[in-house]
Amino acid sequence: REGTVTIKSADGIYSAEVWVCQDAAPAEQEVVPNPMPFDGMKRASTTYEVLIYSFADSNGDGIGDFKGIQNKLDYLDGLGVTALWLSPVHPASSYHNYDINDYYTVNPLYGTEQDFKNLIDAAHAKGIKIYMDYVLNHTGKDHPWFKQALADPSSPYRDYYFISSNPSADYSTFPMLQG
């Protein structure tokens, strides 16, 4: 038997032709075993993003850290994770660290440089890569380059930033920033 079904939706009316075969017998369903049952081997990339600050706290101070992540590597490995994508590890003015103040050190809230190296070594020993979200296109307000650019109009860092006393007016002069 056949017919037409009309579907009304918020943005229009659609119709579709439907074929219905009411007298057909149900098809036999053969159960086929999985030809490749899971054998514990990781074959595809599975990246797990980690916001370090809130992921795993190893010392009870309420802030996630490198040792906390390292302590969770067995769990992550058991999930089949092949890579960790870490939020920025450098000192910053915010909890998420996307406003970096120093590119040469790790955030002391997360541990020491040696703790970071230990995490990398332990992850690599489990076949887990480490990817870093490395913020190069801007710095935080407490970064020395930004402070020097604000303090000295002839600073070589002045060209690194757009400094304005009237951002609303200046914004309108940049067509590439308009919707």
Side-chain angles (χ1 to χ4, degrees):
R1 194 166 83 160
E2 64 184 270
T4 302
V5 175
T6 302
I7 302 168
K8 294 183 181 183
S9 66
D11 56 348
I13 298 176
Y14 303 94
S15 65
E17 188 171 307
V18 196
W19 293 69
V20 180
C21 205
Q22 291 184 342
D23 298 332
E28 294 283 328
Q29 291 192 359
E30 179 183 350
V31 177
V32 179
N34 185 346
M36 294 187 67
F38 184 65
D39 60 4
M41 298 295 296
K42 299 178 196 174
R43 289 187 173 77
S45 293
T46 303
T47 301
Y48 192 101
E49 183 178 6
V50 176
L51 180 59
I52 300 168
Y53 186 89
S54 60
F55 182 70
D57 175 13
S58 70
N59 59 8
D61 66 358
I63 298 170
D65 48 51
F66 301 133
K67 288 180 182 177
I69 298 169
Q70 186 174 342
N71 292 341
K72 296 289 185 184
L73 288 176
D74 285 338
Y75 166 74
L76 294 164
D77 188 49
L79 292 176
V81 169
T82 57
L84 296 178
W85 172 18
L86 301 181
S87 60
V89 302
H90 306 290
S93 301
S94 64
Y95 73 94
H96 51 66
N97 285 24
Y98 281 91
D99 54 344
I100 293 174
N101 295 330
D102 182 356
Y103 289 104
Y104 298 104
T105 61
V106 297
N107 190 328
L109 294 174
Y110 299 163
T112 66
E113 188 174 326
Q114 188 58 53
D115 293 334
F116 184 53
K117 289 177 182 178
N118 292 343
L119 167 60
I120 292 169
D121 290 343
H124 287 176
K126 292 191 173 298
I128 299 173
K129 296 178 177 90
I130 300 286
Y131 296 118
M132 295 177 58
D133 198 337
Y134 202 76
V135 184
L136 293 173
N137 61 340
H138 61 278
T139 65
K141 64 179 177 56
D142 294 322
H143 191 284
W145 297 345
F146 186 71
K147 287 181 174 182
Q148 187 177 349
L150 280 178
D152 180 6
S154 65
S155 165
Y157 301 114
R158 188 76 174 202
D159 289 338
Y160 289 18
Y161 303 94
F162 179 74
I163 298 172
S164 172
S165 59
N166 188 349
S168 296
D170 291 339
Y171 179 82
S172 65
T173 64
F174 286 90
M176 72 284 236
L177 297 177
Q178 305 305 311

